[in-house]
């Protein structure tokens, strides 16, 4: 399951014939045909209920990171407030996963502000949490950049409570950029 991410992992999981895969993203719709707008309290409640009912083994989160380049200061502050609210929601989902004996994986650029937020610091400080820095380009991740392919330059941080995910990342990127 994915939270606030267009269905990327879900698509790959379906290709591998995994079951129970879904994405809670504004590009997708709920069973009533409404967009998963997690900025709305009612949709966050519905998401929590869905997670309680489905009990996904793994939730992958990628909080919003708004492009503020052409925004006024007021718009920038509003987007920042929304992003922090969403991050708190994600960490709430992650804590529920841990309490239920299930897993989460959180991905965000290393330099991103969310890593400095109290809710993320608290989650990262938990005994079962594993925080890793991954140099994506050195581990072979490619992204489409208009018409050309380019290696991602900015390192990311991954936070998970899954020893298997952490070990796989270490093996996949052995001596190539996992710290």
């Amino acid at each position: 399951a994915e939270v606030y991410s267009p269905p990327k992992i879900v698509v790959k999981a379906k290709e591998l014939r995994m079951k129970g895969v879904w994405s809670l993203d504004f590009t997708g719709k709920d069973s009533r045909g409404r967009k998963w707008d997690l900025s709305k309290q009612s949709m966050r409640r519905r998401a929590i209920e869905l997670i309680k009912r489905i009990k996904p083994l793994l939730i992958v989160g990628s909080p919003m990171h708004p492009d503020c380049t052409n925004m006024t200061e007021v718009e920038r502050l509003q987007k920042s407030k929304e992003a922090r609210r969403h991050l708190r929601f994600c960490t709430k989902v992650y804590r529920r996963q841990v309490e239920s004996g299930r897993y989460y994986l959180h991905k965000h650029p290393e330099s991103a502000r969310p890593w400095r937020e109290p809710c993320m610091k608290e989650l990262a400080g938990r005994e079962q949490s594993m925080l890793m820095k991954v140099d994506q380009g050195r581990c072979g991740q490619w992204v489409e950049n208009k018409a050309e392919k380019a290696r991602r330059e900015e390192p990311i941080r991954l936070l998970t409570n899954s020893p298997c995910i952490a070990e796989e990342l270490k093996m996949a990127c052995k001596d190539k950029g996992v710290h």
Side-chain angles (χ1 to χ4, degrees):
E2 294 176 86
V3 177
Y4 204 82
S5 174
K8 295 178 233 165
I9 294 170
V10 165
V11 170
K12 191 65 168 171
K14 285 181 179 178
E15 287 173 10
L16 297 171
R17 297 190 176 143
M18 297 174 87
K19 57 184 178 174
V21 292
W22 41 267
S23 180
L24 301 179
D25 178 66
F26 60 89
T27 62
K29 295 186 179 175
D30 69 3
S31 60
R32 297 178 188 167
R34 295 182 297 185
K35 287 186 178 186
W36 279 107
D37 182 354
L38 296 175
S39 69
K40 294 185 166 95
Q41 176 66 28
S42 62
M43 292 306 266
R44 290 193 302 270
R45 272 196 301 269
R46 293 202 56 205
I48 292 292
E49 290 305 315
L50 178 66
I51 291 166
K52 282 181 183 177
R53 186 169 39 84
I54 303 291
K55 298 179 174 116
L57 182 61
L58 174 68
I59 290 186
V60 179
S62 179
M64 61 193 308
H65 37 89
D67 178 13
C68 298
T69 50
N70 294 319
M71 292 185 188
T72 66
E73 187 60 25
V74 172
E75 290 170 323
R76 195 179 344 259
L77 288 170
Q78 180 61 32
K79 285 292 182 187
S80 180
K81 182 179 174 182
E82 289 172 19
R84 283 194 306 279
R85 179 177 48 234
H86 182 74
L87 183 65
R88 287 190 303 271
F89 172 72
C90 282
T91 57
K92 177 180 180 178
V93 167
Y94 301 155
R95 285 191 308 272
R96 285 179 180 265
Q97 285 291 101
V98 172
E99 291 162 6
S100 301
R102 297 188 304 267
Y103 304 103
Y104 70 88
L105 173 65
H106 176 85
K107 173 189 167 192
H108 220 75
E110 181 184 31
S111 63
R113 182 170 289 164
W115 294 113
R116 298 186 295 270
E117 291 291 326
C119 60
M120 282 305 294
K121 285 182 174 182
E122 186 275 328
L123 187 66
R126 289 180 170 216
E127 184 179 336
Q128 67 274 34
S129 293
M130 292 159 271
L131 182 64
M132 296 162 281
K133 175 184 163 188
V134 177
D135 297 325
Q136 297 177 95
R138 290 175 63 192
C139 291
Q141 182 176 12
W142 291 82
V143 292
E144 292 294 330
N145 185 2
K146 302 280 183 204
E148 65 186 77
K149 286 189 173 184
R151 285 192 182 270
R152 286 209 54 137
E153 295 296 323
E154 183 175 9
I156 60 168
R157 282 190 188 177
L158 298 168
L159 180 65
T160 187
N161 66 324
S162 169
C164 293
I165 290 174
E167 189 59 34
E168 282 295 317
L169 284 167
K170 287 178 189 174
M171 294 302 290
C173 299
K174 189 175 183 180
D175 300 322
K176 294 181 187 172
V178 173
H179 314 286

